Amino acid sequence: MSVSPDPFASAPSGSPPALAAGAAVIPPLGLNKKGSMLAGERILDEYKRQGYELYLMAGISGVGKTQLLDAYQKSSPYLPLIERNATRPASVMPTAQRSFACYPVKAGTRKAVFVDASGEDFRLLYPLQRAARTLPEADARLLKVAADALKGLVLVIDLERLWGKPREGGTEDPADRHQERILAWVLELLRWFYFGGQYDAENAAPFQEQVTARVQRMSQRQRLPFPVQVVFSKADRLTAVSLPARSPSIWARDTSKTRTIFPPGDHPLLLAYHYLPLLYEALRENVRVFRFDFAHSIATSLDSGAAVDETPCGVEYTLSWLMERRWGPELGTGTWVRLQRRLDILTFRGRRWRRLPEPRELHDG
Amino acid sequence: MAERRHRPIGPVLRLLPFVGALAAGVLAYVVAARDPRRVVSIPFRSPALAEEERHWVDAVLPPRFLPAPMPPSPCGYIDSDWSDELVEAHQYIREGRTEDAGVVLSRYFSAPSGVNLQNDVSAAVHSASTSFTSPSTTDVLGAVHLLQTWAYVLLKDNATGPTLWRALKHPIGYTDLLSRRGVVGPLRGEYTWSRITIRWPGCDSTREDLTTYHLYNNLILGYLKNPEYRDSGDRREREFARTYDDPPDVNPLLAVLEKRRKEPPEGREGWRWAISNSERLIRKLTLHQNRDSLQAPPWLAANLAQILDSARIETDPPVVGPLLNQRDAMITAAEHGELDVAPEQRQDLALALARLQLLRAIDGEGPPRVSPWIDLHLDSTQRSVVQAVSHATRWRRDPDVLVAALANRAPTDSLAVQDPDAWSAAARHDLSRHFARIGAAAASRERGAWVRRARGMLAAGDPVPPELRELEADKDVVRLLQQYPPLAFGVGLVASFPFLAYLAWLLGRREALWVSYYRIEAGERVRQQR
């Protein structure tokens, strides 16, 4: 992975984009590095002060976070209550690592801002991309502010890069194969910040170890209370991705058989349960309510990669679920899963918890 | 404006709050409307009226206890130093000169001969001797008759003090001596509460023969006339102790005694001793006799009936019924013995029976059965009370008749009693109570009507019966809903909707974990393309 230059060494071209009415006043970009850190905090504080609900979108670079948010915002014809409030020019280019992208949206009487958690400001979230043996103070403050104000989290994972063949002509990002671990770390770190984690600079243990040790000592009650949506992005391309082979067990009749993913027919939760155990366990340990789903912002050709259909799929409902009001206490996903497993045993459907069932046809309803 | 798209929710969850709330409302309506309570026949009880009518009776016919008749004189001459005094005293009493009789007897018992007689007989009683010689049986008999005659005189004069108690109690002890000697009683050693005849030797048996009933009757009378009577703790304990334990329905007076014996010897101690002796007497009387054909001297039966009636307020409600049954049996026995009383006692007996009959009618045993011979002895005031009780008890047998009588003031005005308005107020109170009791037992829908009816019975200034107050204060929500089933429907609807909406939301959240929105949207695209 190339080392990025100082993200704030020079000011971006052009004037800052026009702000829509009702948007928060955001300090202009292009400040020096120190200034941008402060700006990040101020940005979040300003949004908080204006009554915005903060949602963070995390995932390694290039998984499609920005495209998903663009697609969500663009669904205006279907979501007339959401105003277009962009703080940066609409673009389908991946987020530059130096920008702090906020996407304020309006849902009814509520205001929400999706923060694209990538770039320098969130390097702590991605230790493989940016090693974090110590805890830079400014990074910590920003994440602390973010964690305290978070109302929801979106974890984006690209299964094609996780399981698929390496991209032709491109160098493989080492983070590709470690997306599960990275996202698990994101959850740990946010949980650590949320419950008042204190970095002990005098402790010889590296920052990551301190976080992990502290999180492991937390009780079940100290799980992140906001919902987490895990999105399998670029779902249109997953039909060419084969499921990884699972470790054979003495009870398995046929362990070598595998197939490709069929997003419209595969059950996303069961997929994660069987094939993303690290991520699933991390979610179960650190979060109360979480959900899995597929999504794509545009459909592209598997061969050429050209856009075939620019209509997003699975984006609108998936992100709306995050923002849904909670009208009272609810059972956690782990509890619902346990109940469902018991019910499935009684109704002779327990097999699907031993291996991923065959995908349903689209017309099955 | 483009159509707004909502997160897909299954139709069941969408309809759950509405259909569920409707179902809950209907269920609440059905449960409320199905009040299984039904008004069963509630007997009309009129304690206030009964108390008012008792006041009428007490005012014109107060309790009247009859002393046992004077014992007969010896049928022949008895050679003794007391026979002349005895005959003289009897003569004075027959002539109505009880004071002179008292003087004669007092002089005798103060003289050495009288003192010696008493001392000798008392010594023989305490020695448990069965010797016939000292003192002689004739002397013992004489002592009994003399003291009994003296007791008769002292009771007539409302005397009190040791002299009275000696005259009342010693003959009982002397009779026990006679029984030990085998002179009196059907069986040797028979308890003196049994009817033991104490006849002069050689004389024919007559109806006027002295019996132990005479002795106990007068003893009981003595206790009743002396409520402040006191005795030693040991004697009290012996008096109230019993070796049997009859159930209250067989021996109600025993239940009264058991309750009262625990009280300290204060207040109406004389009454407690009277109850104790009455209990023994009644037990002996009823032990081998049919209750419906009880035989007892009329003066004794009348006294016992009045004592039983006086015990009704001193006992627990379950005992009152058997108590009044025994009282009624005594009244019947007293009426049958009409001819067994001396002419001078007939008026007293008539008045006592008139009182008892009126009390019986007030207790709901039918109209007052005042026999013609009793009626002959009543004055006009007493007769008007009999009439008033007859009317009043007839009206209050049926609450509707009573309501009509109150509504039409003429009948109540015809009650020739001192304060007919008090009776009307008592009637209103009892009716109000009755309707309130019905309302409490009725179906919730009908409660309001009964409350209004109970309220409507009361006039301004009437005290509100506690049953009505309790009924009006009853804010039981369930009963309120049962009173107005449509309200129950509304409450069920409104109360269940939030819960069902929350449940639908909760199940929707669960559903969201399982569905794939990608699949839903993809399916929509496919259907649109088709």
Side-chain angles (χ1 to χ4, degrees):
Chain A
M1 187 178 67
S2 59
V3 176
S4 66
D6 190 330
F8 299 104
S10 59
S13 59
S15 56
L19 298 177
V25 174
I26 298 168
L29 300 173
L31 297 178
N32 58 22
K33 189 174 178 179
K34 195 175 177 182
S36 73
M37 297 302 178
L38 293 172
E41 273 184 70
R42 287 217 307 276
I43 289 168
L44 293 183
D45 275 344
E46 185 60 31
Y47 272 118
K48 268 176 65 176
R49 206 179 61 77
Q50 296 256 344
Y52 279 78
E53 296 173 6
L54 178 66
Y55 296 87
L56 202 63
M57 206 145 192
I60 62 171
S61 58
V63 288
K65 298 189 292 295
T66 309
Q67 291 85 339
L68 286 173
L69 287 172
D70 280 344
Y72 186 54
Q73 270 199 324
K74 278 186 205 167
S75 305
S76 172
Y78 299 101
L79 295 165
L81 296 177
I82 296 177
E83 299 170 2
R84 281 191 190 152
N85 273 323
T87 60
R88 63 180 221 29
S91 168
V92 297
M93 293 298 291
T95 306
Q97 286 185 339
R98 62 180 186 179
S99 67
F100 188 90
C102 296
Y103 293 80
V105 297
K106 211 166 182 185
T109 56
R110 295 158 57 208
K111 298 183 288 191
V113 59
F114 283 89
V115 176
D116 190 344
S118 55
E120 287 287 332
D121 302 291
F122 295 96
R123 59 186 173 176
L124 272 179
L125 296 178
Y126 310 105
L128 287 183
Q129 293 171 306
R130 289 280 185 272
R133 290 196 64 79
T134 58
L135 181 59
E137 188 188 334
D139 295 356
R141 278 212 310 272
L142 177 65
L143 277 174
K144 175 66 179 167
V145 168
D148 286 347
L150 265 186
K151 294 293 182 193
L153 177 67
V154 182
L155 300 178
V156 187
I157 183 168
D158 187 341
L159 295 178
E160 187 185 19
R161 284 163 65 177
L162 181 68
W163 295 329
K165 303 187 181 95
R167 280 179 289 189
E168 289 182 12
T171 52
E172 187 178 300
D173 188 340
D176 287 356
R177 305 292 178 187
H178 300 285
Q179 290 181 77
E180 270 192 275
R181 262 208 307 143
I182 290 168
L183 296 180
W185 162 249
V186 168
L187 291 172
E188 277 190 8
L189 186 63
L190 286 174
R191 191 181 179 195
W192 184 78
F193 273 116
Y194 190 89
F195 287 103
Q198 297 285 335
Y199 172 62
D200 185 1
E202 293 175 11
N203 193 331
F207 167 63
Q208 269 180 276
E209 283 182 25
Q210 286 189 31
V211 169
T212 303
R214 172 78 177 93
V215 164
Q216 281 174 354
R217 285 199 301 272
M218 285 183 186
S219 69
Q220 283 280 295
R221 283 171 179 252
Q222 289 174 305
R223 289 185 289 176
L224 292 169
F226 46 78
V228 174
Q229 171 73 64
V230 180
V231 177
F232 303 135
S233 62
K234 301 179 186 174
D236 58 302
R237 301 189 63 80
L238 294 179
T239 49
V241 176
S242 296
L243 290 166
R246 292 184 68 185
S247 305
S249 83
I250 58 173
W251 304 111
R253 289 182 187 172
D254 187 350
T255 61
S256 61
K257 205 172 175 183
T258 184
R259 62 169 171 86
T260 57
I261 303 172
F262 183 55
D266 271 315
H267 198 295
L269 187 144
L270 290 174
L271 177 71
Y273 181 84
H274 289 292
Y275 290 96
L276 299 171
L278 184 64
L279 177 62
Y280 186 88
E281 277 308 304
L283 285 161
R284 208 177 58 80
E285 289 284 329
N286 296 296
V287 180
R288 279 199 70 243
V289 181
F290 55 90
R291 175 175 189 282
F292 300 90
D293 214 331
F294 297 99
H296 71 244
S297 51
I298 55 173
T300 58
S301 164
L302 287 173
D303 300 320
S304 61
V308 170
D309 183 1
E310 296 209 349
T311 311
C313 185
V315 176
E316 181 185 342
Y317 291 146
T318 300
L319 296 184
S320 295
W321 174 84
L322 262 187
M323 294 203 294
E324 193 178 273
R325 270 195 205 281
R326 293 162 72 184
W327 295 102
E330 60 176 315
L331 296 179
T333 301
T335 307
W336 281 122
V337 167
R338 270 199 306 278
L339 291 172
Q340 187 64 47
R341 286 185 67 174
R342 285 179 193 157
L343 186 64
D344 284 349
I345 291 171
L346 293 173
T347 55
F348 306 104
R349 292 165 70 188
R351 184 195 279 190
R352 61 179 180 170
W353 297 100
R354 292 193 290 276
R355 63 174 217 218
L356 184 69
E358 292 299 315
R360 292 184 293 168
E361 294 296 328
L362 194 59
H363 60 74
D364 285 348
Chain B
M1 178 181 281
E3 184 186 341
R4 183 177 178 177
R5 292 173 67 183
H6 300 272
R7 182 173 68 79
I9 305 171
V12 172
L13 292 179
R14 206 191 297 271
L15 292 174
L16 176 64
F18 304 98
V19 174
L22 194 66
V26 169
L27 185 67
Y29 179 91
V30 168
V31 169
R34 253 191 87 248
D35 189 349
R37 272 179 285 244
R38 292 287 175 268
V39 176
V40 296
S41 172
I42 294 181
F44 176 55
R45 291 201 205 102
S46 49
L49 279 169
E51 194 180 327
E52 191 59 33
E53 287 154 16
R54 277 182 163 258
H55 290 327
W56 297 347
V57 175
D58 287 340
V60 299
L61 290 165
R64 191 178 289 263
F65 293 95
L66 283 70
M70 187 187 67
S73 303
C75 58
Y77 175 74
I78 299 176
D79 184 17
S80 65
D81 60 359
W82 43 261
S83 59
D84 291 338
E85 282 79 3
L86 180 64
V87 171
E88 188 181 355
H90 282 182
Q91 186 62 36
Y92 281 139
I93 290 170
R94 281 192 210 97
E95 292 169 4
R97 295 161 62 182
T98 51
E99 278 187 29
D100 294 334
V103 168
V104 168
L105 293 168
S106 174
R107 191 167 58 227
Y108 173 77
F109 281 114
S110 304
S113 54
V115 171
N116 290 338
L117 177 66
Q118 284 190 94
N119 289 342
D120 289 345
V121 178
S122 297
V125 169
H126 289 119
S127 71
S129 162
T130 56
S131 166
F132 277 65
T133 54
S134 179
S136 67
T137 299
T138 305
D139 279 344
V140 177
L141 279 168
V144 171
H145 279 79
L146 276 167
L147 287 169
Q148 179 63 10
T149 307
W150 199 15
Y152 179 90
V153 169
L154 290 171
L155 286 172
K156 279 278 190 184
D157 291 343
N158 295 317
T160 186
T163 309
L164 174 67
W165 299 116
R166 200 164 54 236
L168 288 173
K169 295 191 179 187
H170 284 198
I172 296 173
Y174 299 170
T175 305
D176 190 51
L177 174 61
L178 292 171
S179 176
R180 274 190 272 136
R181 288 184 179 184
V183 175
V184 296
L187 295 168
R188 185 191 290 270
E190 177 69 26
Y191 288 125
T192 53
W193 307 296
S194 299
R195 187 178 184 279
I196 300 174
T197 306
I198 310 163
R199 197 181 308 126
W200 291 111
C203 294
D204 294 333
S205 166
T206 66
R207 211 179 270 174
E208 291 88 20
D209 281 339
L210 181 67
T211 67
T212 47
Y213 283 174
H214 291 71
L215 305 183
Y216 278 108
N217 181 84
N218 287 353
L219 178 63
I220 290 169
L221 202 58
Y223 288 133
L224 290 173
K225 282 174 175 280
N226 291 274
E228 303 302 320
Y229 174 78
R230 298 286 183 270
D231 210 327
S232 70
D234 288 342
R235 286 208 191 101
R236 188 178 195 264
E237 193 60 35
R238 277 201 301 274
E239 173 60 37
F240 293 157
R242 293 291 188 272
T243 57
Y244 46 85
D245 185 19
D246 300 331
D249 56 330
V250 170
N251 192 351
L253 219 50
L254 181 62
V256 176
L257 182 67
E258 285 300 315
K259 195 175 173 184
R260 295 293 149 192
R261 64 182 287 193
K262 293 167 192 157
E263 296 169 348
E266 294 165 357
R268 300 195 301 157
E269 179 72 356
W271 181 83
R272 294 190 193 99
W273 283 75
I275 290 287
S276 175
N277 283 274
S278 302
E279 185 272 325
R280 287 200 176 97
L281 257 180
I282 293 173
R283 189 171 191 267
K284 243 348 181 182
L285 262 173
T286 58
L287 202 58
H288 300 295
Q289 291 196 64
N290 191 340
R291 183 201 147 213
D292 296 327
S293 56
L294 207 61
Q295 290 189 358
W299 34 267
L300 179 64
N303 288 346
L304 292 175
Q306 291 180 92
I307 287 171
L308 287 163
D309 185 79
S310 73
R312 59 184 294 158
I313 59 172
E314 305 286 342
T315 188
D316 300 324
V319 184
V320 170
L323 209 63
L324 299 185
N325 287 342
Q326 234 172 34
R327 177 199 66 180
D328 296 345
M330 290 297 167
I331 294 172
T332 307
E335 284 181 330
H336 287 161
E338 166 205 343
L339 300 176
D340 292 337
V341 292
E344 62 270 17
Q345 270 199 319
R346 292 196 84 198
Q347 175 156 22
D348 286 343
L349 181 64
L351 295 177
L353 285 173
R355 172 186 166 80
L356 287 165
Q357 286 291 358
L358 289 176
L359 294 178
R360 198 182 192 183
I362 290 169
D363 288 336
E365 298 294 333
R369 297 198 300 256
V370 176
S371 312
W373 75 269
I374 295 175
D375 187 69
L376 281 175
H377 295 279
L378 300 176
D379 61 24
S380 58
T381 310
Q382 292 162 340
R383 283 200 191 95
S384 61
V385 167
V386 171
Q387 196 80 345
V389 169
S390 178
H391 287 318
T393 52
R394 182 164 45 84
W395 290 333
R396 60 184 176 90
R397 233 173 273 142
D398 186 341
D400 293 331
V401 171
L402 187 59
V403 170
L406 285 176
N408 182 3
R409 281 192 64 89
T412 52
D413 286 346
S414 69
L415 294 174
V417 291
Q418 204 173 355
D419 190 2
D421 287 341
W423 185 88
S424 299
R428 291 195 297 270
H429 186 270
D430 284 339
L431 284 167
S432 180
R433 266 188 76 235
H434 178 66
F435 295 144
R437 286 174 60 220
I438 294 176
S444 300
R445 280 189 299 285
E446 300 163 8
R447 274 180 103 186
W450 285 108
V451 167
R452 284 191 293 276
R453 203 171 176 198
R455 261 290 163 187
M457 283 313 309
L458 300 173
D462 282 347
V464 179
E467 289 86 350
L468 178 58
R469 205 175 292 127
E470 210 176 287
L471 194 64
E472 287 175 330
D474 186 4
K475 298 291 180 217
D476 186 19
V477 172
V478 173
R479 293 211 75 171
L480 187 67
L481 294 177
Q482 284 176 329
Q483 220 167 331
Y484 304 104
L487 180 66
F489 171 80
V491 168
L493 192 78
V494 169
S496 62
F497 187 85
F499 168 73
L500 290 169
Y502 171 73
L503 184 66
W505 171 80
L506 194 67
L507 294 175
R509 292 288 285 183
R510 181 253 169 218
E511 189 188 62
L513 302 177
W514 291 101
V515 300
S516 169
Y517 297 137
Y518 186 85
R519 176 184 172 80
I520 290 172
E521 271 196 74
E524 284 173 2
R525 303 263 169 81
V526 167
R527 281 190 289 275
Q528 280 169 8
Q529 281 164 10
R530 286 179 191 163

